[in-house]
Amino acid sequence: MHKFVIEGGEKLIGDVRISGSKNEVLPILAATLLSEEKSVIRNVPNLSDVRLMLEILEELGCRTTFENHTVTVTPYDLNRIVASYDLVSQMRASFCVLGPLLSSRKRAEVSLPGGCVIGVRPVDLHLRGIKALGVNYELDHGYVKADGRNMRGTRIFLGGNSGSTVTGTANILMAAVMAKGTTFIEQAAPEPEVEGLANMLNSMGAKISGAGSHRIEIQGVDSLRGADYDVQPDRMETATYAIAAAITKGDLTLRNSKYENLIAFWEKLKETGTQVDQVADDAVRIQGCEIQPTDIVTFSYPGFPTDAQAPMIALLATANGISIVTDTIYPDRFMHVAELIRMGADIRKQNNSAIIHGVKNLSGAQVMGADLRATAALVLAGLTAKGTTEVHRIYHLDRGYEQMEQKLAQVGANIQRAEYNPSRRKSDRNAA
Ligand code: EPZ
C-alpha cells in the first residue's frame, strides 16, 4: 500500500499541464467496440481506471496497446459478449460497454456495476433506455443479459430524480447509433464528456446532432469506421489544481485546460476572492489570496459539478467565514468531512449539506481517502495544513489523477509517495 506524506505551508507557483479526461476517455474506449476496424485514441491519461477498461476490452475480444498516452484497440473476436463481475464491479463506467455490444454484436452479458461510497449508483435509466430501443433483457444472477437484434429508433426520456445521467446518456447514445430509424434522447446529459463522445462517434460515421444539449438526435447507420480521436483535457483535474493554487495562496497556470467547460466552478472560485484569468485558449492562471466564504449547490452540467464538491470544501475549510455546500446529485458524498475535521476543520453535516466554519489553520494529521475526489480533498488540505499530513489509500487517486505527486512537487509542494503496511487491526476495524 502507498500513502502521501505532505509537509504543508508551501505556496505552489508555476505551470501544471492538465492530462486527458478520465470521464471522457472511459466511454470513448467503450465506443471502440462499435467498429471492427482499429481505433487510435490520443492524449489518454495513464490511470488505473484506463488500464482496467483496457482489460475489459481484451476480455471482450480486442487487442489493445497503450504507449506514450496513445491507445490502440483492434477488435478480433466478435463472439465475446461477456463483461465479467470481477472487472465491471471495480468501476461503474465499465457498464458503458453494454450499449456498444448491443449495437455491434447484438448481444451482451454485462455485470451490474453495484454501488460505491458516494451512493447507490443505480442503472435503472440505462435499462429504461435499452428497453425503449427494443432490447429484450433479463437480470440474471447480477448480470444484464440482453438481446439487441430488434433494436429500432425511438424517443427516450432519460431524466431521473437527480436530473440526467452522464454514463446513461453515453450508453444509450452508443446503443442507438446503429439502430434502424431515428432516436431522440430527451433530458440527455449535456456534459462536455458526452459531447466529446458524440464528436468521436460522428468521426466514425455516426449521424448524431444535439450532443451537449438536453436533446440528442441519432439517425441509425449500418456500420462505423475505426476512430482516431484526441481526448479533451480533464475538467476535474483542472478544478483540483485550481484549488491547489487557491488553498496555498500560490500562483499556478494550468496548461492544456478548457476554461469554457467549468464556468460554474470558476464563478464560485472567484466568489472566494481567488483571481482567475484565462491567459490563452488553453490556459488559465489562478492566483490565491485570503479565502472568503461562499455557498454552493451542485447540479448537472452546466451547474456546479459534484466532482468538485469535496475539493471545494477543503478550500472553504480555511475561509474567513461560514459556507454551506449542498450536493443534490450524491447526498451522501461527504466521506471527506470526518477526515477534514481530524485536521482541525469545523464542519457540520446536515442532510445533503455541509456547514463549514472556516478556521485560520488546518493541522497536519494521518487521514484516509474514501473515494477519488474525497482523497484529492485531503491532499489539498495537507498542502496548507501546519505540519505533516499522511494521506492513506491513495490508490483512489491513482484512478483519476495522473502523476499527482510529481505535478504538485514540480510547482513547489513538499510531497512524497511512501510505502506503508496497514496494521491488520486497523483494516479489520475499518472493514467492520
Ligand atoms: C458520472 O458518473 C461521472 N463518472 C461521475 O464522476 C460524476 O460524479 C457523475 O457523472 C455526476 O456528474 C463518469 O463520467 C465516468 P450519473 P455517472 O449516472 O454517469 C442517478 C468521478 O469522481 N442515476 O450521472 O455514473 C445517480 O444516482 C466520478 O470522476 C439514476 O438514478 O453518474 C446520481 O444521483 C464519480 N439512475 C445521478 O443520477 C441511473 O440509471 C447522476 O448519476 C443513473 C444515474
Side-chain angles (χ1 to χ4, degrees):
M1 297 271 263
H2 288 102
K3 62 185 175 183
F4 277 168
V5 180
I6 304 167
E7 294 302 328
E10 305 292 340
K11 285 182 187 291
L12 302 192
I13 296 174
D15 287 11
V16 174
R17 187 186 185 284
I18 301 300
S19 300
S21 166
K22 166 183 85 79
N23 289 350
E24 183 182 70
V25 76
L26 295 174
I28 289 276
L29 290 172
T32 62
L33 290 166
L34 287 164
S35 171
E36 295 179 27
E37 297 175 7
K38 176 177 172 181
S39 289
V40 181
I41 313 297
R42 306 174 197 280
N43 193 35
V44 177
N46 188 6
L47 303 169
S48 56
D49 272 9
V50 167
R51 296 191 293 272
L52 177 61
M53 183 58 93
L54 294 180
E55 274 188 71
I56 293 168
L57 292 179
E58 285 169 4
E59 183 181 60
L60 291 169
C62 301
R63 277 191 204 85
T64 73
T65 67
F66 187 10
E67 288 171 18
N68 303 322
H69 294 101
T70 299
V71 163
T72 66
V73 180
T74 310
Y76 67 91
D77 182 353
L78 306 186
N79 296 313
R80 307 264 280 271
I81 54 126
V82 179
S84 62
Y85 172 76
D86 62 333
L87 292 177
V88 173
S89 59
Q90 297 179 52
M91 177 180 67
R92 174 184 167 85
S94 43
F95 196 64
C96 282
V97 300
L98 178 64
L101 286 174
L102 288 170
S103 270
S104 61
R105 305 184 188 182
K106 306 306 177 195
R107 285 177 54 234
E109 291 187 20
V110 180
S111 167
L112 288 163
C116 69
V117 291
I118 68 174
V120 173
R121 315 292 300 273
V123 290
D124 57 306
L125 299 176
H126 300 239
L127 299 177
R128 180 203 294 174
I130 63 168
K131 186 175 182 182
L133 283 166
V135 172
N136 293 315
Y137 74 86
E138 60 172 352
L139 302 183
D140 179 26
H141 294 89
Y143 279 74
V144 177
K145 297 185 175 180
D147 175 348
R149 283 172 293 182
N150 300 316
M151 286 204 284
R152 286 279 179 285
T154 186
R155 188 176 295 274
I156 303 166
F157 175 67
L158 215 48
N161 295 339
S162 309
S164 49
T165 162
V166 177
T167 49
T169 302
N171 233 343
I172 301 312
L173 192 52
M174 294 188 278
V177 281
M178 291 193 269
K180 292 192 181 351
T182 301
T183 297
F184 292 93
I185 302 177
E186 305 287 357
Q187 198 165 343
E191 271 75 356
E193 291 77 20
V194 172
E195 193 171 359
L197 172 64
N199 292 339
M200 184 182 96
L201 294 171
N202 282 338
S203 75
M204 296 166 75
K207 290 180 180 166
I208 301 167
S209 57
S213 76
H214 280 296
R215 168 180 285 181
I216 301 178
E217 179 179 340
I218 306 114
Q219 292 182 37
V221 296
D222 295 332
S223 64
L224 293 178
R225 300 182 290 275
D228 188 330
Y229 184 77
D230 274 283
V231 177
Q232 291 183 79
D234 191 306
R235 291 189 302 132
M236 294 311 140
E237 190 189 21
T238 303
T240 303
Y241 286 108
I243 292 173
I247 205 168
T248 61
K249 298 183 177 50
D251 182 348
L252 290 182
T253 298
L254 309 182
R255 303 282 177 196
N256 187 45
S257 59
K258 273 181 98 167
Y259 182 91
E260 64 273 20
N261 283 349
L262 279 167
I263 296 300
F265 171 78
W266 299 128
E267 280 315 303
K268 284 298 171 183
L269 190 60
K270 288 174 186 172
E271 281 181 15
T272 69
T274 303
Q275 193 168 334
V276 179
D277 299 292
Q278 187 175 3
V279 293
D281 284 348
D282 64 350
V284 185
R285 184 180 179 188
I286 314 293
Q287 298 174 77
C289 62
E290 285 304 311
I291 299 301
Q292 301 310 314
T294 185
D295 293 337
I296 290 171
V297 181
T298 68
F299 284 109
S300 297
Y301 190 84
F304 189 94
T306 170
D307 293 348
Q309 176 257 98
M312 200 62 165
I313 286 183
L315 179 66
L316 295 172
T318 64
N320 299 326
I322 298 173
S323 305
I324 300 177
V325 177
T326 301
D327 200 321
T328 65
I329 309 289
Y330 299 115
D332 298 325
R333 193 178 196 171
F334 292 98
M335 303 293 283
H336 40 290
V337 168
E339 297 300 295
L340 290 170
I341 289 169
R342 299 187 61 252
M343 297 179 71
D346 180 354
I347 306 173
R348 197 159 35 85
K349 182 165 177 316
Q350 199 163 332
N351 301 323
N352 63 339
S353 297
I355 296 128
I356 305 134
H357 291 240
V359 296
K360 190 151 181 52
N361 292 302
L362 294 174
S363 65
Q366 288 186 314
V367 289
M368 191 183 297
D371 72 86
L372 171 57
R373 310 302 174 185
T375 312
L378 300 178
V379 173
L380 293 169
L383 292 172
T384 187
K386 287 202 173 308
T388 306
T389 297
E390 290 190 1
V391 182
H392 292 242
R393 298 191 179 180
I394 55 169
Y395 56 80
H396 291 298
L397 285 176
D398 294 332
R399 296 188 54 177
Y401 292 96
E402 186 178 38
Q403 295 196 316
M404 187 178 219
E405 71 271 30
Q406 288 90 331
K407 291 189 179 185
L408 288 171
Q410 278 167 5
V411 289
N414 184 335
I415 181 170
Q416 312 278 336
R417 181 184 287 253
E419 292 262 351
Y420 86 105
N421 297 311
S423 66
R424 226 175 69 75
R425 188 170 54 79
K426 186 176 83 170
S427 58
D428 279 355
R429 190 170 61 244
N430 287 327

